[in-house]
Amino acid sequence: MIKRITSFVLVISMVLSVGTTAFAMESMQATSNDYAMSRNDDLTNQSVDKIDSSVTLNSDCENAIDISSEVISIDPNLTLTVTTEKFTDYNIVTVSDNQGNISISDSRYSYVIENGNKIETTISETESDVLNESITPFALVPAWQKIRTFTTTIAFEKAIKDLAISTIIAQVKALKIVGYTLTAAGLVKAAYEKPDLRSSKAFYLRRDIYGYTNQYGREGTHTYSLDTKYRKISKTDSFNDVNLKAFLGY
């Protein structure tokens, strides 16, 4: 009788062991197939308070090179917290606002998670040289001359006017474009309320690089936004050199 009971227990144990192993393998496969979604879903389910702490987002934070957080105000009614996790080859940006929206962008993937929903994105950049010859250091030429222009196209699968501002900020921040003012996202979204832009799904970031005429190696950058018709969006300008800003009359 004891032998029969022992055999029965062994059989049950083997069945449970096989079932557990199969379940674990299925779980591992699901995780490897959709790592980004599972991570973003975890982040999306967290409270705004936890995101604000910026150090308890996820266990992945333990491997981050740097974690930073900043608070920006779009208007008196809208405040956003932007948390950036920097890793060796990529970064993850989480943007939450005081209205309950949360958007997450991982620079490795071509989408943003907005309130738990995946929004596909397309990013491209072009570069053009403005001057083909060297800047001549004569007193008669302007103090600054434009030498290069970079244009980044940011396109979403849905209309800009229907996006949360947190989604625009998350995508721009993940691109690591130095000098772009994040508060400009509110002006971009507002611009797309115009009748001729209401169905548009893309906007542009323009970076004009200027060289200082009489000083080799000195450059200044003027960064701003354009709508889908290549019209400059007012007040989205930023500069990395106050002298260039004054030279251009801002």
Side-chain angles (χ1 to χ4, degrees), residues 159-162 188-201 227-229 231:
I160 299 291
K161 72 176 183 63
D162 296 328
V188 170
K189 182 174 170 61
Y192 279 74
E193 292 294 339
K194 297 176 183 177
D196 63 334
L197 294 176
R198 290 181 62 82
S199 62
S200 299
K201 300 179 180 181
D227 66 26
T228 193
K229 297 181 182 293
R231 298 175 300 201

Side-chain angles (χ1 to χ4, degrees), residues 151-202:
T151 303
T152 302
T153 303
I154 303 176
F156 299 87
E157 66 173 322
K158 61 188 294 188
I160 299 291
K161 72 176 183 63
D162 296 328
L163 297 172
I165 293 176
S166 58
T167 296
I168 300 174
I169 292 176
Q171 181 60 86
V172 172
K173 184 72 173 178
L175 293 176
K176 305 178 186 178
I177 295 179
V178 177
Y180 186 74
T181 303
L182 296 181
T183 53
L187 298 171
V188 170
K189 182 174 170 61
Y192 279 74
E193 292 294 339
K194 297 176 183 177
D196 63 334
L197 294 176
R198 290 181 62 82
S199 62
S200 299
K201 300 179 180 181

Side-chain angles (χ1 to χ4, degrees), residues 216-236:
Y216 180 78
R218 179 179 174 184
E219 293 184 352
T221 303
H222 176 201
T223 306
Y224 51 95
S225 299
L226 302 171
D227 66 26
T228 193
K229 297 181 182 293
Y230 285 95
R231 298 175 300 201
K232 185 172 177 294
I233 299 175
S234 179
K235 299 180 180 180
T236 59

